[in-house]
Amino acid sequence: MNNRLRKGILTSALVCMAALAVTGCGGNKNNNAANNGGTNAGTNNGAGTNAGTNAGGGGAQNITVKATNFKFDQTEIHVKQGDKVTVTLVDEAGSHGFAIPDFNVDIKENNGTATFTADKAGEHPYNCSVMCGSGHANMVGKLIVD
């Protein structure tokens, strides 16, 4: 294989990889991947974050998490142990996911929801579950169950 052909193949490969990297976060906001965890509970009207409070636990919490390129709008979410929690993911920029592995939650579509019972006290990490580009690893936070 001559050098000119080799350079052409290498250049084509680099262009393809760059295109894939750029489309990760800035890509289609209507990611139709399946919600692999939690219970699908329809959509939320987006009326705020951490809506609803209760003194004891066993109540209901509706939480809207907004994702932009490489960050969530909340790095800590507090709920009471025993609460039924419904999380709605809103992609404001790019395509993102929202996963809380300790509660089998993995939302992979814009305006997707998951519902679970916060039955495990403590701190539970959450992260972006859709590879979205160079800042993907920074999209983390924690759910704190009191």
Side-chain angles (χ1 to χ4, degrees):
M1 189 182 299
N2 68 33
N3 280 341
R4 185 175 226 183
L5 180 59
R6 216 177 277 160
K7 285 180 183 178
I9 291 171
L10 180 59
T11 301
S12 296
L14 289 173
V15 168
C16 289
M17 287 190 299
L20 287 173
V22 169
T23 61
C25 260
N28 183 359
K29 292 180 97 175
N30 294 318
N31 184 348
N32 292 323
N35 179 358
N36 294 327
T39 303
N40 189 353
T43 59
N44 181 326
N45 65 9
T49 57
N50 276 335
T53 59
N54 59 63
Q61 293 281 341
N62 294 311
I63 299 166
T64 300
V65 176
K66 295 177 182 175
T68 57
N69 285 331
F70 314 130
K71 69 179 182 176
F72 291 117
D73 68 334
Q74 301 174 71
T75 56
E76 281 189 4
I77 299 171
H78 291 264
V79 298
K80 301 282 185 201
Q81 188 170 7
D83 281 355
K84 181 178 179 183
V85 179
T86 299
V87 178
T88 301
L89 173 65
V90 176
D91 286 341
E92 291 193 328
S95 292
H96 303 283
F98 182 83
I100 311 171
D102 292 349
F103 291 101
N104 196 31
V105 168
D106 191 1
I107 304 168
K108 292 190 179 200
E109 63 274 342
N110 188 27
N111 293 315
T113 63
T115 300
F116 64 95
T117 300
D119 56 358
K120 303 171 198 165
E123 294 184 0
H124 306 277
Y126 59 80
N127 60 278
C128 178
S129 59
V130 171
M131 183 56 180
C132 60
S134 63
H136 174 73
N138 298 327
M139 293 188 70
V140 296
K142 58 186 168 183
L143 171 73
I144 300 171
V145 181
D146 299 313

